[in-house]
Amino acid sequence: MTIYSKFSDVELTSFLVKGDHMAYEEIYNRYNALLYIHAYKKLGNREQAQDIVQEVFITLWAKHKELLDIVNMGGFLYTCIYHKILDLITHQDINRKHISQLSTYLRSKNSNTDFLVREKQLTVIIEREIAALPSKMRQIFELSRFKHMSHKEIAEQLDVSEETVKKQVKNALKILRNKLGLFVYLVFLLRF
């Protein structure tokens, strides 16, 4: 029976290239704990360190026929661990960026949705108060604010004096300011 613990890394590598399971097991026993400690120091996470070490050994066996040029098995395994750690950190950074972008997007969507809901509610309130104005006053007010007609144009269209139009618009604004409150009234003025 061959005792693999007596072989050098170079000899074990040559056996491993030929598919020798016992050589693979000896390499695993020699380096598993050392690689784990190294990975843990870099990552500070036991599970991630264990996963990375296992991935390296799985890859080692999967590609054992390609290891002909390896003269320093320890250096090769540490390099593999280093690259796996870099891949993991890069992947985590990308995930954090995606999560941050998604969070920002969701916050902006919620803000936009809140704004749209509030704007719609405000519009309904304003429209309701305009509809409650006396008929002639409402007609003059709507021509002034929504059709953007001048007092003179409204007076000619409705066959009333410009002074009447001016007074009706002024009274409508006063009624709306009292019913809607100052803030809503100012928003209304800015929009229309």
Side-chain angles (χ1 to χ4, degrees):
M1 181 163 135
T2 307
I3 301 173
Y4 284 84
S5 61
K6 294 183 178 184
F7 290 117
S8 70
D9 282 358
V10 173
E11 292 170 314
L12 287 172
T13 302
S14 68
F15 294 142
L16 178 63
V17 168
K18 296 174 187 167
D20 188 328
H21 288 279
M22 297 300 290
Y24 172 77
E25 195 174 310
E26 179 58 32
I27 293 170
Y28 179 85
N29 290 336
R30 278 186 194 178
Y31 289 102
N32 181 44
L34 294 171
L35 294 174
Y36 168 77
I37 290 167
H38 180 70
Y40 179 72
K41 283 181 180 178
K42 298 290 182 193
L43 296 170
N45 182 305
R46 294 179 193 279
E47 291 79 22
Q48 288 176 338
Q50 286 173 340
D51 289 346
I52 283 178
V53 171
Q54 291 306 312
E55 285 177 36
V56 166
F57 279 109
I58 289 168
T59 303
L60 180 68
W61 179 252
K63 297 186 177 191
H64 69 274
K65 292 179 183 175
E66 302 168 25
L67 303 176
L68 291 171
D69 298 332
I70 304 296
V71 291
N72 180 352
M73 182 55 74
F76 173 76
L77 292 172
Y78 276 100
T79 301
C80 291
I81 290 289
Y82 172 77
H83 288 290
K84 290 281 187 187
I85 289 171
L86 284 181
D87 289 345
L88 177 68
I89 290 170
T90 301
H91 184 70
Q92 287 173 337
D93 286 345
I94 290 169
N95 282 345
R96 274 194 284 276
K97 286 178 187 173
H98 285 299
I99 290 169
S100 174
Q101 289 171 347
L102 179 62
S103 177
T104 301
Y105 172 77
L106 290 175
R107 279 195 307 269
S108 74
K109 274 297 193 193
N110 286 341
S111 294
N112 288 341
T113 303
D114 282 349
F115 174 77
L116 293 174
V117 167
R118 290 173 199 266
E119 183 180 36
K120 188 166 183 91
Q121 290 171 340
L122 194 56
T123 301
V124 167
I125 292 168
I126 291 169
E127 288 172 354
R128 185 177 51 217
E129 292 304 327
I130 290 172
L133 291 172
S135 170
K136 194 70 165 174
M137 183 185 290
R138 183 181 74 246
Q139 184 183 17
I140 291 171
F141 183 78
E142 287 175 344
L143 290 173
S144 171
R145 291 297 187 228
F146 302 130
K147 302 278 185 183
H148 307 289
M149 294 174 68
S150 69
H151 290 176
K152 183 177 182 178
E153 293 169 327
I154 297 169
E156 289 173 3
Q157 182 175 332
L158 298 178
D159 197 29
V160 293
S161 71
E162 276 187 66
E163 191 58 39
T164 301
V165 171
K166 186 177 178 181
K167 187 174 183 180
Q168 290 291 333
V169 169
K170 183 179 176 183
N171 288 341
L173 289 172
K174 184 177 179 182
I175 290 169
L176 291 174
R177 185 176 60 233
N178 289 336
K179 288 192 173 189
L180 297 175
L182 184 59
F183 176 73
V184 176
Y185 173 74
L186 290 174
V187 169
F188 169 76
L189 286 179
L190 291 173
R191 288 187 65 208
F192 301 104

